[in-house]
Amino acid sequence: MSLIEDSEHLAMGMAWEEHAEDCQNRIEGEWRGECDCDRDTFSTSQCKGCGSYLHGERYAMTLFTPVGA
């Protein structure tokens, strides 16, 4: 996670509103189990966490930046 600043905090997964419209977790408004919304099974784009261009799976993460930063 070399691209993440020391003052930032990281959580795996994504916010409710970022889940797909048809995701059962989003529809019910609570965690009902695993979903594939936060996983891209094969990506050729740059990883936003480490900067790598290696192809493969990408998982969502939420980055919290301190207020005023």
Side-chain angles (χ1 to χ4, degrees):
M1 301 297 156
S2 60
L3 296 179
I4 299 174
E5 301 292 328
D6 289 336
S7 62
E8 297 173 322
H9 299 281
L10 176 71
M12 297 307 293
M14 59 178 49
W16 287 110
E17 60 273 3
E18 294 176 1
H19 282 259
E21 294 289 328
D22 61 346
C23 175
Q24 199 62 33
N25 291 324
R26 181 176 179 171
I27 292 169
E28 295 186 19
E30 63 181 70
W31 189 252
R32 292 290 184 185
E34 295 295 320
C35 68
D36 290 329
C37 295
D38 61 355
R39 182 169 50 106
D40 183 354
T41 57
F42 189 79
S43 176
T44 58
S45 62
Q46 181 182 22
C47 175
K48 294 177 182 174
C50 69
S52 170
Y53 281 98
L54 292 174
H55 299 179
E57 281 188 307
R58 299 282 191 262
Y59 292 88
M61 60 182 179
T62 302
L63 193 63
F64 299 93
T65 304
V67 176

